[in-house]
Amino acid sequence: MRVEGRESKIAGELLAHYDVHARKLPWRAPPGANAADPYRVWLSEVMLQQTTVAAVGPYYAKFTERWPTVEVLAAADDADLMAAWAGLGYYARARNLLACARAVTRDHGGRFPATEEGLRALPGVGAYTAAAVAAIAFGQRAVVVDANVERVVARLFAIGTPLPAARPAIRAAADRITPDTRAGDFAQAMMDLGATVCTPRNPACGLCPLREDCAAFATADPAAFPVKPAKKAKPHRLGHGWWMERDGHVWLERRPERGLLGGMRALPSGAWSDAPDPTPPINAEWRTLAEPVGHVFTHFSLALRVHHAHVDAAPDGEGEWWPIDRLDEAGLPTLFARAAAAVRKERDARN
DNA sequence: GACTCGTGGCC
DNA sequence: TGGCCAAGAGT
């Protein structure tokens, strides 16, 4: 519940700043335009989950051109959708994107629910995304809390409790400064501020319209908020990937729906345990790339030893022969795209 | 609450 | 170089 007082003037100051300094983003309705399309707001919010604006840009353009409405997206082929998402990461988002589009089309007549509660029930829509879409696309007062808002609010009120224990207090404070009108603009203004001024390191307090309201600005070290817990060290894993080539095609599998890189096309690569003596998927004259492909995931790093051979039969299990000269259309996640590039470079160097 | 789940840019 | 970080959600 919003209260009057010092906290009530923060939104006004921030919105005035936003009216002048708002970033121009493809999914953001230009000033004075009609309300944003809920489909596009939702699509952008899902893509932006834990992902930078710069990385999302080309994917957003591709998706809106190819699937301009939620109903068109709902009719998309699963493999096409996953391939289009390849490289953006967190592939559960792509699976949930399709499930959500189909739920909206089938259960809601192709219209997104206009309430936070209705949105929250959709696949891949959590507390943040539900609030953001409700506020930005439907003009509802919703308390939008992402990592930017967490940081800005923790600094405004100098909340020294470490995360994640500080979340209830941060959310309560965000609620207190969220205005009854323009909640969508307010949310985007908070996120713009967090992305461009109130940054994690070296915040540009001299440019901040809220510095006179900011309890952290009054301290020696505004960047000390919010307080974050120490992170665990990342373990290292070793895996083996298998490039099987036949008549200009390479054998690709589809990974299991759940788990890492779930639902994505991939080179066969077994389990990434540190098995020193891997079993090839088929008997052949195998060669091994001199350098393994290194890749860092969220909670571990991987060294993938890449083996390659010409074969005259398919290995056991499901898969497909994919034309090597069109491998960029297979939608390989980055790890396997890099493994494939390494094999092709080795092969080209040999010729 | 603690884990899992990608990728690229930045300092 | 390597840790940190990004418009989090699901289990």
Side-chain angles (χ1 to χ4, degrees), chain A residues 7-253:
Chain A
E7 294 157 356
S8 67
K9 88 186 221 294
I10 291 175
E13 291 168 342
L14 184 62
L15 285 167
H17 183 264
Y18 182 73
D19 288 336
V20 179
H21 297 287
R23 288 184 292 175
K24 293 173 175 47
L25 302 173
W27 45 86
R28 195 174 271 183
N34 292 332
D37 175 1
Y39 168 65
R40 295 188 171 223
V41 173
W42 161 75
L43 177 63
S44 69
E45 290 300 342
V46 173
M47 288 184 164
L48 286 161
Q49 289 165 7
Q50 297 288 285
T51 308
T52 59
V53 166
V56 165
Y59 286 86
Y60 178 80
K62 176 170 62 177
F63 271 65
T64 51
E65 179 173 359
R66 186 166 176 184
W67 298 294
T69 71
V70 67
E71 288 164 311
V72 174
L73 184 66
D77 175 76
D78 292 60
D80 288 347
L81 190 288
M82 298 306 289
W85 195 277
L88 197 55
Y90 283 146
Y91 299 100
R93 293 184 297 173
R95 301 194 296 273
N96 287 330
L97 192 81
L98 205 40
C100 182
R102 288 170 179 165
V104 168
T105 298
R106 184 184 62 244
D107 303 335
H108 301 277
R111 295 170 183 267
F112 279 84
T115 67
E116 208 174 340
E117 181 184 7
L119 290 159
R120 181 67 182 79
L122 295 169
V125 177
Y128 162 76
T129 301
V133 174
I136 297 168
F138 295 110
Q140 304 221 359
R141 183 184 184 282
V143 181
V144 180
V145 183
D146 76 325
N148 289 300
V149 176
E150 260 182 16
R151 183 169 58 254
V152 172
V153 168
R155 288 175 181 170
L156 277 172
F157 298 95
I159 296 173
T161 309
L163 291 173
R167 295 230 158 90
I170 289 173
R171 178 179 185 79
D175 195 346
R176 276 184 262 126
I177 63 174
T178 298
D180 294 328
T181 60
R182 297 189 67 186
D185 283 346
F186 177 75
Q188 296 181 88
M190 289 285 279
M191 293 190 279
D192 273 18
L193 192 74
T196 64
V197 175
C198 195
T199 50
R201 290 172 296 195
N202 303 317
C205 297
L207 301 177
C208 183
L210 302 181
R211 65 178 176 277
E212 297 306 324
D213 305 307
C214 182
F217 179 64
T219 73
D221 185 13
F225 302 91
V227 179
K228 300 205 169 184
K231 301 203 170 175
K232 294 198 315 183
K234 280 185 187 183
H236 298 275
R237 296 188 195 172
L238 174 61
H240 298 270
W242 308 94
W243 173 279
M244 286 170 274
E245 185 171 342
R246 180 191 186 189
D247 297 332
H249 291 63
V250 62
W251 183 256
L252 299 183
E253 294 180 347

